[in-house]
Amino acid sequence: MSAPTVTICPNADDLARQAADLFVRTAEDAVRERGAFFVALAGGSTPEKTYALLARPERARRIAWASTFLFFGDERLVPQDDSRSNFALARRALLDAVPVPDANVFPIPTDRSAAEGARAYAATLARAFGVDEKGAPPPFDLVLLGLGDDGHTASLFPGAPALAANEVWTTASPPGTLPPPVERITLTYPVLNAARSVVFLVAGANKAAALRDVLEGASPQLRPAAGVRPTEGGVTWLVDAAAAVGLGQT
Ligand code: 6PG
């Protein structure tokens, strides 16, 4: 794995602009080189500004939506129209505003148990990528991730069994310590680490300690984002100045 790229943005708005521009460039490259763009969207609140910028004409028109396939890094076990749903966030901020075919959007199923939803999503990944579910993990062109102030990413929480789920592509994850306290479904490290590009979006002073720990090589058991080490892909950290206060200090 190559060293991660860390870009410190002056503020969250600039972070969103840089993330949206990186998304567009990655999408253009993927479609040019392979004829399709496979991306896993991040949940939580930080990505909302980025999704809204992607929905604007100046960027949306640069994306080949018919060749773009949108998945989710994780989901809360709530209905798809629930305000806590990561799919609902993406639909409101981006999907309803761009001409992506419904068939190209793959929400994580939350109308069954978390374990059943995880199993179903793994089958969806295999089908959409055209790969064998027993084979190598599906290679996303881009995975967007957030960082919790406990160092979790997607729904990989400190000390959780999901951190050891290395034989599956998706798994159920009990509620973390952070809100909302609902069961979750998450992509696992094998899928995250098969990505061609992983981009973390991190804003806010409350993330500073976890960010510093992850970049200084903390244990994934304590700071699960530290376990995202793509075998061949690159990792980019887009962080705002508030989250970066602890970096570069001994
Ligand atoms: C989720 C996300 C989670 C999120 C972090 C950061 O479902 O909550 O997948 O991993 O990215 O908790 O969340 P914020 O962007 O809201 O700080």
Side-chain angles (χ1 to χ4, degrees):
M1 170 192 165
S2 54
T5 301
V6 179
T7 298
I8 300 176
C9 310
N11 52 55
D13 287 343
D14 182 68
L15 187 162
R17 277 192 296 276
Q18 294 207 41
D21 290 343
L22 186 51
F23 185 105
V24 171
R25 289 197 303 273
T26 307
E28 289 174 330
D29 292 349
V31 171
R32 183 177 58 252
E33 293 165 16
R34 291 177 293 277
F37 174 47
F38 287 81
V39 55
L41 298 179
S45 58
T46 303
E48 182 163 6
K49 289 182 178 182
T50 299
Y51 298 160
L53 290 175
L54 288 170
R56 290 194 190 159
E58 63 271 22
R59 289 186 179 88
R61 65 169 165 252
R62 292 175 53 192
I63 295 175
W65 295 106
S67 303
T68 295
F69 301 88
L70 294 139
F71 300 79
F72 293 81
D74 72 328
E75 188 55 277
R76 295 87 178 271
L77 202 66
V78 296
Q80 287 182 352
D81 59 358
D82 187 300
S83 63
R84 298 167 296 173
S85 161
N86 290 334
F87 172 67
L89 165 70
R91 181 166 53 186
R92 181 177 70 248
L94 174 59
L95 304 178
D96 284 350
V98 297
V100 61
D102 289 347
N104 289 25
V105 180
F106 301 87
I108 295 174
T110 58
D111 56 354
R112 62 202 79 175
S113 75
E116 289 164 341
R119 277 194 296 275
Y121 206 53
T124 295
L125 286 167
R127 193 168 48 250
F129 279 82
V131 297
D132 183 339
E133 205 175 327
K134 297 181 179 59
F140 278 100
D141 296 299
L142 175 62
V143 174
L144 294 180
L145 290 173
L147 179 73
D149 57 14
D150 62 352
H152 82 259
T153 192
S155 286
L156 299 169
F157 293 102
L163 301 181
N166 294 321
E167 303 304 320
V168 290
W169 297 351
T170 59
T171 192
S173 181
T177 54
L178 297 174
V182 295
E183 265 202 294
R184 293 158 175 253
I185 296 166
T186 187
L187 296 182
T188 57
Y189 283 135
V191 176
L192 301 181
N193 289 332
R196 293 187 176 90
S197 174
V198 174
V199 176
F200 283 92
L201 311 180
V202 186
N206 63 315
K207 309 294 179 73
L211 176 64
R212 182 198 59 233
D213 292 350
V214 170
L215 293 180
E216 289 183 354
S219 155
Q221 281 297 321
L222 296 175
R223 301 289 198 193
V228 179
R229 305 181 189 119
T231 314
E232 293 175 19
V235 178
T236 300
W237 290 84
L238 294 179
V239 306
D240 73 353
V245 293
L247 302 186
Q249 294 173 359
T250 51

